[in-house]
Structure formats: structure tokens, C-alpha cells
Amino acid sequence: MSIHRFRRGLVLLGALAALAAPFVSPFATSTAQAADVTVFAAASLKNALDGAAAAYKAKTGKELAISYAGSSQLAKQIESGAPADIFFSADLDWMDYLAKKDLIDPASRVTRLGNTLVLVAPKDATVDLSIGKDFPLAAALGADGKLAMASIDSVPAGKYGKAALTSLGVWDAVAPHVAQADNVRGALAFVAKGEAPFGIVYGTDAHAEPGVRVVGTFPQDSHPAIVYPVARIAASTNAEAKAFLDWLISPEARPSFEAQGFTILAGQG
């Protein structure tokens, strides 16, 4: 694979993003106009939350519009007035960002899910790496190999990944190889398509993508705990949003998330 081919892929991804509607990502499951509830959710939640939405519709007949993107992008859109009812973030930072601006209902906030961080390679790759202190990731990448990650400065998966690599003493060596995507599913796609020999994604992303295999799991103490808080948007007056959020944190919704590899948490805040 050439660097030029990889860069063309990044340009194409950016072009597709630019064509998307201002507040609804290309991953949206339905239009906000036709929906009873509009949810802004981290891209890594797609498979699980799609399943939960289908279960909720089967139970209630209610339609959800779900816009998936990086938590940072979604939080900024909400700050700009995007008509969301619920925000489901992949980290505490972006939920805290909105909370400090009084843009979420603090009484509705629940930290619901946990996840893991993994190193993935294309499914047919034969590389064998043991993740640990000073592990030879840079050598495995070679001179031209790229490490696909979500944006390391803003997207939770990218921030967790950089923290893990830094903690393990390999960040400086691999930093020149990092190719950043707008969200974790973008990074996953580059690995699945063979455009990058390695990527750092969540364990649930690897579970959802048959085109990759897990090389190893990063130690939990190498990065901040990966948790997903959910809350109702303060400006929303949609009564159905509260009903859906209550259902989402109930035992009835658990199977949709557990089936994708998420850990169910019960903590508040």
C-alpha cells in the first residue's frame, strides 16, 4: 500500500463528511423530521444502539433518529443548537463540556457503559505482537506503515489510544506513523480495507467488523477508564425522550449492548 493511496482515502472520507447534513452524520438511521426522538451518539455505539432502537420501536412503535459521529463533533453541534434530545458520549470529557455550559439535564445523566481498547490488524494479517511496555509497534509498522486512530486531540478513542501508547513508552516512535480519522469507525474502516496495517479502536468496534482481527488488548491501567455517559439535552421538551432514556438504562436494553461486548455500568455522573 502506498502513502498516496492512503491519503486519497483520507481525502475521500473528508469529502463525504463535507457533503453530510450539518447536524446529521452519514450514519443516521432515519431523518430527524420523521422521528419521535433524536439521539446524538458516539460512532462506536452504532451496532449496539441500532439494535436497542429496533427493540424500542418493536415495543413502543416509536421511531428514533440517531446521528453517529465523534463525541467531540456531536458536542460541538449540540453547543451550536443542533436539535438533539439525547447525547450518548464515549467519554466523560465531552459530557462534562456540555454540562459546564448547562446544555444537559444533570438529573438525567447516567454513566452506563464500559469498553476496552484494542490493537487491530486486517483479518488475514499474520503479525503477532504482545502489548506491553516498549512493545515493538513501530518496528512492526515499518518505514511506511500507518497506524489508524481517531483524532488524538478531540475524539475519545484517539485520546485513549495516545494515552495508552504514551504510558507504554512507544508514542514518540509511532507518532510519525499515525493517520487520524474523524471518528473511531473511520479508523476501523481503514484497517478493514487494508489501507493501514494496524489501528487502535474499541473492543466493541473489532467485534462488529469481520474485516479485522484483534492483535491485543491494551492494559486497563495504560489509559483512563473507557466509559459512556448518556443524558437528555436541557433544551429538549420532548416527553418521549425521557421515556426512551428511562428504557435505555433499564435491564430491558442491556442485551443490545452486551451482545456487542459493552460492559453495563450503573454509576451516575
Side-chain angles (χ1 to χ4, degrees), residues 63-107:
E63 191 76 44
L64 275 69
I66 310 178
S67 183
Y68 297 102
S71 298
S72 54
Q73 294 172 305
L74 297 173
K76 289 290 188 178
Q77 289 173 2
I78 291 168
E79 182 183 17
S80 297
D85 296 308
I86 291 170
F87 178 46
F88 210 153
S89 175
D91 73 352
L92 297 175
D93 288 349
W94 286 107
M95 188 64 79
D96 290 342
Y97 177 86
L98 295 182
K100 290 174 182 176
K101 296 177 179 292
D102 298 322
L103 294 175
I104 64 165
D105 172 14

Side-chain angles (χ1 to χ4, degrees), residues 29-49:
T29 58
S30 58
T31 62
Q33 291 81 359
D36 296 288
V37 180
T38 300
V39 182
F40 278 22
S44 53
L45 288 165
K46 179 169 173 50
N47 296 71
L49 195 52

Side-chain angles (χ1 to χ4, degrees), residues 3-18:
I3 295 176
H4 296 296
R5 183 184 173 199
F6 191 90
R7 287 175 175 166
R8 283 198 301 270
L10 287 175
V11 170
L12 176 60
L13 185 65
L16 290 174

Side-chain angles (χ1 to χ4, degrees), residues 3 10 24 26 28 39 48 79 92 94 96 100 108 117 120 127 134 136 148 167 187 211 219 232 243 246 260 265:
I3 295 176
L10 287 175
V24 181
V39 182
E79 182 183 17
L92 297 175
W94 286 107
D96 290 342
K100 290 174 182 176
S108 71
L117 193 69
V120 295
V127 64
D134 300 322
S167 173
R232 188 177 62 81
D246 288 344
Q260 296 298 323
L265 306 176

Side-chain angles (χ1 to χ4, degrees), residues 5 8 19 39 51 82 89 93 99-100 105 116 119 126 128-129 150 174-175 178 188-189 196 220 246 249 253 266 269:
R5 183 184 173 199
R8 283 198 301 270
L19 292 173
V39 182
S89 175
D93 288 349
K100 290 174 182 176
D105 172 14
T116 58
L119 182 70
T126 58
D128 184 23
L129 282 175
V174 303
V178 171
L188 180 71
Q220 289 187 356
D246 288 344
I249 62 177

